Amino acid sequence: MSEIMKTALLDRSMKEVFDWSDADTPVRDALWDYFMESNGHDTDKTEQAMLPFLNDSDDKIISFVNEHLKK
């Protein structure tokens, strides 16, 4: 049960978490897309880049998304 709670933010839609977004895309998918674009669509590199987000606090994830994905 605690694993689900730790990643709950990642499963919410972007527009639920960020007032600047109107995307229905889950936060997890938006991050995946960001890393895929930034590393030349290398799945292995993207997977490694995503792993820390499974243990990061919601505040840290929100901060990262605001810094890197907000347009």
Side-chain angles (χ1 to χ4, degrees):
M1 181 80 173
S2 65
E3 288 298 312
I4 292 170
M5 297 304 290
K6 286 189 339 187
T7 62
L9 175 86
L10 294 174
D11 296 325
R12 293 175 60 198
S13 72
M14 288 289 289
K15 70 181 182 183
E16 283 182 86
V17 180
F18 303 99
D19 60 0
W20 49 263
S21 178
D22 61 358
D24 290 320
T25 306
V27 173
R28 177 188 315 271
D29 292 351
L31 285 167
W32 181 269
D33 293 344
Y34 168 78
F35 286 118
M36 285 293 280
E37 287 296 320
S38 67
N39 68 29
H41 296 272
D42 185 315
T43 304
D44 292 330
K45 287 181 182 177
T46 298
E47 181 180 17
Q48 290 301 310
M50 289 289 295
L51 286 176
F53 291 98
L54 298 177
N55 295 314
D56 282 345
S57 68
D58 288 354
D59 290 340
K60 195 168 183 180
I61 295 169
I62 289 169
S63 177
F64 182 90
V65 171
N66 277 323
E67 185 177 333
H68 294 92
L69 277 71
K70 186 176 180 179
K71 296 175 183 173

